[in-house]
């Protein structure tokens, strides 16, 4: 399940990200790549734990907490501290799957959902599409600054080569309360249906009945 989450960051927050990044020191992105990914990864990254990464990461985490769509689609249990990367002309990231387990603050996190939050505008660079593969084919994603795509971390995906400009983004992983992707998708579809029903028929008794079903399924499936 791929979900486009618009306006995670507003224009002022995007501008702050870019101002901080202009003065930051970038390092080889392969520092956080796994054994397979390191062979196909060619980009730059803000150092994990740097003051710049911490400031911007806290901004992103705060924005996620305010995004009802992200919460509904991902049902987060724990979010890995956001990372930030840059692709300049000639850079790319070949086809790979994200590591299943990440360590953060002495704890292990299972990467159920991957997220890419775009910070560059689409007309600022050529190439650089995030391409996610699933049973329905390959899906190319290139979103406005401040928008985010979330998708199963089990997916093969790659970033096409940059031919002009620079592509800047935040990326991170989330361990969901719902490990199973199909169950997570079912709960998301049900939540969206409840929201529409509430909007169109707010007094209909089915609103309460369906909400009860949603929460009882969540109670049955959630790992907390």
């Amino acid at each position: 399940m791929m979900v486009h989450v618009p306006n995670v960051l507003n224009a002022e927050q995007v501008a702050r990200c870019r101002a901080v990044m202009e003065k930051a020191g970038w390092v080889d992105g392969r520092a956080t790549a796994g054994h397979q990914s390191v062979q196909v990864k060619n980009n730059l990254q803000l150092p994990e734990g740097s003051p710049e990464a911490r400031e911007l990461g806290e901004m992103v985490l705060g924005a996620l907490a305010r995004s009802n769509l992200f919460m509904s689609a991902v049902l987060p249990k724990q979010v890995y501290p956001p990372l930030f990367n840059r692709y300049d002309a000639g850079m790319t990231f070949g086809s790979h799957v994200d590591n299943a387990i990440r360590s953060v603050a002495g704890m292990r996190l299972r990467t159920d959902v991957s997220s890419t939050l775009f910070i560059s505008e689409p007309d600022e660079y050529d190439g650089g599409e995030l391409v996610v593969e699933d049973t329905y084919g390959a899906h190319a994603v290139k979103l406005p600054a401040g928008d985010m795509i979330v998708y199963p971390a089990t997916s093969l995906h790659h970033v096409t080569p940059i031919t002009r400009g620079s592509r800047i983004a935040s990326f991170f992983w989330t361990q969901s309360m719902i490990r199973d992707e199909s169950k997570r998708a079912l709960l998301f579809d049900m939540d969206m249906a409840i929201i529409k029903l509430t909007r169109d028929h707010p007094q209909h008794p089915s609103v309460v009945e369906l909400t009860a079903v949603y929460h009882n399924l969540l109670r049955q499936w959630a790992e907390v």
Side-chain angles (χ1 to χ4, degrees):
M1 179 181 70
M2 296 179 64
V3 178
H4 172 195
V5 185
N7 303 314
V8 174
L9 297 181
N10 60 34
E12 181 180 344
Q13 291 171 317
V14 170
R16 176 58 184 169
C17 286
R18 298 180 67 128
V20 169
M21 290 175 174
E22 285 179 2
K23 301 176 182 179
W26 296 85
V27 298
D28 192 326
R30 289 175 291 185
T32 58
H35 174 72
Q36 184 271 329
S37 297
V38 74
Q39 303 175 52
V40 294
K41 186 176 186 180
N42 178 20
N43 64 7
L44 300 173
Q45 192 167 301
L46 291 185
E48 284 190 84
S50 66
E52 296 86 358
R54 287 199 302 270
E55 176 191 342
L56 301 184
E58 289 174 3
M59 178 193 297
V60 171
L61 289 175
L64 295 178
R66 295 186 293 271
S67 172
N68 292 332
L69 185 56
F70 172 78
M71 292 296 174
S72 178
V74 177
L75 292 169
K77 178 179 180 181
Q78 185 177 2
V79 180
Y80 192 91
L83 302 173
F84 300 86
N85 60 19
R86 189 181 90 204
Y87 292 80
D88 295 332
M91 293 183 174
T92 185
F93 197 165
S95 185
H96 66 284
V97 173
D98 293 332
N99 287 354
I101 304 295
R102 291 273 175 175
S103 296
V104 54
M107 299 176 60
R108 288 193 175 96
L109 176 149
R110 187 184 64 244
T111 58
D112 297 320
V113 181
S114 296
S115 299
T116 297
L117 172 58
F118 290 79
I119 297 173
S120 298
E121 294 290 358
D123 61 1
E124 294 182 291
Y125 60 98
D126 293 330
E129 291 85 359
L130 170 67
V131 181
V132 181
E133 302 175 32
D134 61 20
T135 55
Y136 299 100
H139 310 277
V141 182
K142 190 174 186 178
L143 299 178
D147 285 16
M148 182 172 69
I149 190 75
V150 300
Y151 58 96
T154 54
S155 306
L156 278 170
H157 57 283
H158 65 275
V159 176
T160 63
I162 296 285
T163 59
R164 177 188 65 88
S166 295
R167 172 199 190 267
I168 303 171
S170 175
F171 64 102
F172 55 92
W173 305 273
T174 304
Q175 179 171 327
S176 175
M177 293 186 291
I178 308 299
R179 178 196 298 254
D180 185 272
E181 178 190 343
S182 62
K183 292 177 179 176
R184 197 163 59 242
L186 179 63
L187 287 169
F188 176 68
D189 290 343
M190 183 177 291
D191 195 22
M192 294 299 100
I194 291 170
I195 290 171
K196 292 176 184 176
L197 181 62
T198 303
R199 180 193 62 206
D200 298 339
H201 306 282
Q203 303 304 320
H204 199 286
S206 294
V207 173
V208 175
E209 294 166 358
L210 287 173
T211 300
V213 172
Y214 174 90
H215 283 283
N216 285 333
L217 287 173
L218 183 60
R219 185 176 291 109
Q220 180 177 345
W221 293 339
E223 302 173 2
V224 294

